[in-house]
Amino acid sequence: MSDAAQPTAAEVRAAAEAVKTALDRHLAAVERRSGEEDPAVYDAFNELAAAAEAYDELLYDRYDEVTPFEIPGEDTLPPYTGPEEPSALSVLIRRDYAVAEPQRLMAQARRVEAADEDAPGAGASGTVHGALGLLFGEFEPDEIASRHKEFGLEEGDSTLWVTAADESAEPGEWLEAPFEQVDPERVVCRFDVSAVFDEEFDDGDDDEDEGEDGEADLPDLDEDLDTDLDEDGESARLEADR
């Protein structure tokens, strides 16, 4: 930031005083709270967060310093304001993957290609994007999520939002832009999975790897990657996997 755009020392000091005032108001609201969802506490919390964020930004711009406080980000959902008895729901899901093993991915796609007479033209399984089209066209997203290692994929972040609506959308109404009209205030619940939460689940990693539904129960493709089976063999193997 240029010197001309930097806040003054007085502005930083005023922002610090605003944090102190907001802190006192938040404590007073907590001490007088009338219940678990007291709106006064909620308002005081938001005022304190806004004051702390403003101070943090000015402090950094003026002195290149930061505070030790974690300020709630803008992705925090606002309070729910949708219908108390929704008559329709939308479930929005995003799952990210990395293509960790392209050869494994294409080997699985070749199995689909060999077993499906209606599969796209020959050779679609020979490229990563073609293999992805084959696999996501053949398997449900939930099945790919549960068997992603078989398909040479590595899980990234995922999120699921359940949103309430007054009525169901018309057929085909939102297909061109499925996520553009999401109203955060109508999100009933949200579930996030991310690598940033890994430390919370370290204790369960061993169980997941060795459990009944773990990777040990899935077919091992390593020995099949360079082996061409006849069509009947491919079909039988595919049905057994599914």
Side-chain angles (χ1 to χ4, degrees):
M1 176 177 290
S2 67
D3 291 340
Q6 283 186 344
T8 66
E11 288 174 328
V12 179
R13 173 63 61 181
E17 293 299 327
V19 173
K20 297 175 186 178
T21 300
L23 190 61
D24 288 338
R25 289 176 177 171
H26 180 261
L27 177 58
V30 170
E31 291 173 337
R32 297 193 304 266
R33 72 187 312 159
S34 58
E36 291 185 1
E37 297 184 1
D38 190 333
V41 174
Y42 179 81
D43 291 341
F45 173 88
N46 286 335
E47 290 175 7
L48 176 57
E53 183 174 13
Y55 171 63
D56 192 75
E57 291 178 356
L58 291 173
L59 185 70
Y60 181 80
D61 291 343
R62 176 69 185 184
Y63 300 111
D64 198 23
E65 290 289 345
V66 295
T67 66
F69 310 124
E70 182 178 353
I71 309 302
E74 294 182 357
D75 58 347
T76 301
L77 291 175
Y80 176 75
T81 61
E84 289 298 322
E85 298 182 5
S87 57
L89 295 174
S90 291
V91 179
L92 302 110
I93 301 174
R94 171 173 171 169
R95 297 187 180 113
D96 283 5
Y97 299 96
V99 180
E101 299 180 71
Q103 294 302 320
R104 183 180 288 267
L105 175 76
M106 291 186 286
Q108 279 283 29
R110 284 197 296 272
R111 294 182 171 194
V112 172
E113 206 169 38
D116 187 357
E117 296 179 355
D118 297 326
S125 62
T127 64
V128 171
H129 75 272
L132 287 170
L134 281 168
L135 292 175
F136 278 88
E138 177 70 16
F139 299 99
E140 293 291 334
D142 286 345
E143 184 169 4
I144 290 180
S146 66
R147 300 172 57 190
H148 62 278
K149 291 184 179 180
E150 288 183 59
F151 301 120
L153 302 175
E154 182 178 304
E155 284 184 314
D157 288 357
S158 66
T159 188
L160 182 151
W161 294 25
V162 179
T163 65
D166 296 312
E167 57 185 18
S168 298
E170 293 294 329
E173 180 179 352
W174 49 261
L175 296 181
E176 292 300 320
F179 305 111
E180 281 189 356
Q181 299 180 350
V182 179
D183 183 353
E185 294 187 351
R186 288 190 168 226
V187 175
V188 177
C189 55
R190 169 179 171 176
F191 305 96
D192 297 325
V193 177
S194 174
V196 300
F197 306 138
D198 278 351
E199 62 272 14
E200 298 179 17
F201 302 104
D202 282 346
D203 294 340
D205 287 347
D206 292 339
D207 293 339
E208 182 179 352
D209 291 340
E210 300 173 4
E212 286 186 5
D213 298 324
E215 186 181 1
D217 297 325
L218 300 177
D220 187 356
L221 298 181
D222 290 338
E223 61 187 21
D224 298 331
L225 293 180
D226 298 320
T227 303
D228 292 325
L229 302 179
D230 58 49
E231 183 173 349
D232 292 338
E234 289 284 359
S235 177
R237 181 69 168 275
L238 191 62
E239 289 299 322
D241 286 351
R242 298 184 61 190

